Amino acid sequence: MGFTEEHCRWIEDHISRRTGERRGRLERGHGHGERMFLEKVWWPMMGHFNDLHPEYEVLDWRSKPYFVDFVWKPGQVKFAFEVKGYGPHVQNTDRTRYRQELNRETYLQIAGYRVVAIPYDDLEANPELTITLLRPLLMPYLALRTDEKEAFSRLERDILRIAVRSNGCIRPVDLVKELGIDLRTARKYMRSLCEKRKFNPVVSQVSGRICRYEYIHSFNDIQLW
């Protein structure tokens, strides 16, 4: 199935599961720029819309809703993608709106989102540049081949993504900080991944204990683009 059919089905599915302003915002807000990002960048790069949410609602510290063009949530990580044209976001704005926009992006970062601005002009003139920039940013979260994902739990997949992002070296304490799990759980899952030949334990020459784990790199683990 091609982009047009999948896009229509994806949007209709999200509309059918929303009510009130969340539904209205999707029906009104998913416009030309957002569709162009999906057609020229996301679809060629991914080939699907898994874990991608259009016009995603985020509540700020005042419980006021913000709507982000797209939020991608593969596992524990959260990316916020905003398609930005020069006119609406720079040329035709005032100081108050500009300040509010900057504060909005800062709050999204506080809320755990990695905010990525997508220039509208590049979508029109050079979408390949956007793809080139996004691939290394997103690749650590797509480290497993589709046919291997069933062999790993969701938490194990998150650990593998963290390892790829950390240049292949990881400590249980890193998982405690990033995933919010306890140390015993972190060690348990690292032992499991060692048994599955995804990591090698590294023993400290001083203490004789395992001090870290090294990811076993394989070309088969990298999703082809």
Side-chain angles (χ1 to χ4, degrees):
M1 189 175 294
F3 167 78
T4 301
E5 294 81 5
E6 281 292 340
H7 176 257
C8 288
R9 188 170 69 174
W10 176 68
I11 288 293
E12 289 172 0
D13 176 61
H14 278 276
I15 289 176
S16 69
R17 293 187 281 114
R18 298 186 184 187
T19 59
E21 178 58 17
R22 293 178 67 247
R23 176 171 181 154
R25 182 60 183 245
L26 178 55
E27 293 173 331
R28 299 189 308 270
H30 189 72
H32 174 69
E34 290 78 12
R35 180 187 170 96
M36 187 161 55
F37 168 70
L38 295 177
E39 184 172 10
K40 293 190 174 184
V41 174
W42 193 267
W43 182 259
M45 190 169 61
M46 299 292 196
H48 58 72
F49 301 117
N50 298 346
D51 302 315
L52 188 67
H53 304 269
E55 293 297 326
Y56 190 83
E57 183 182 39
V58 179
L59 298 179
D60 70 7
W61 64 95
R62 302 160 297 180
S63 295
K64 177 182 178 181
Y66 284 144
F67 286 91
V68 181
D69 290 342
F70 301 100
V71 164
W72 185 54
K73 298 195 297 181
Q76 300 291 329
V77 72
K78 298 182 292 185
F79 279 89
F81 298 99
E82 296 270 48
V83 178
K84 294 192 174 185
Y86 179 76
H89 290 90
V90 179
Q91 193 175 37
N92 301 330
T93 192
D94 55 28
R95 287 182 177 274
T96 298
R97 291 179 60 187
Y98 181 68
R99 172 176 53 81
Q100 291 172 342
E101 179 71 11
L102 295 180
N103 289 338
R104 175 176 182 265
E105 291 188 2
T106 300
Y107 176 74
L108 288 172
Q109 297 278 4
I110 294 171
Y113 292 86
R114 299 188 65 179
V115 181
V116 182
I118 307 296
Y120 176 88
D121 290 351
D122 280 346
L123 295 179
E124 281 197 316
N126 192 9
E128 293 81 10
L129 173 61
T130 303
I131 293 175
T132 299
L133 293 173
L134 286 182
R135 276 179 174 168
L137 180 65
L138 304 183
M139 190 171 64
Y141 308 99
L142 295 167
L144 292 176
R145 294 182 306 177
T146 301
D147 60 355
E148 285 190 342
K149 288 185 177 180
E150 293 182 359
F152 300 91
S153 69
R154 191 184 188 104
L155 185 56
E156 287 175 330
R157 295 198 298 270
D158 289 336
I159 292 171
L160 289 168
R161 293 183 184 110
I162 292 171
V164 173
R165 193 174 73 237
S166 305
N167 295 320
C169 187
I170 199 167
R171 302 172 302 165
V173 68
D174 299 327
L175 303 181
V176 172
K177 293 177 181 178
E178 293 216 30
L179 300 177
I181 60 178
D182 58 54
L183 193 58
R184 179 178 294 181
T185 300
R187 287 170 174 163
K188 170 187 173 183
Y189 277 91
M190 291 310 303
R191 286 195 298 270
S192 172
L193 288 169
C194 285
E195 292 173 357
K196 294 177 180 180
R197 301 298 303 152
K198 302 306 295 184
F199 288 91
N200 283 325
V202 177
V203 177
S204 170
Q205 294 181 352
V206 177
S207 66
R209 297 180 179 179
I210 296 173
C211 59
R212 66 181 187 275
Y213 296 84
E214 291 184 349
Y215 179 62
I216 300 174
H217 291 276
S218 168
F219 289 110
N220 290 333
D221 292 333
I222 301 176
Q223 181 158 325
L224 299 179
W225 299 94

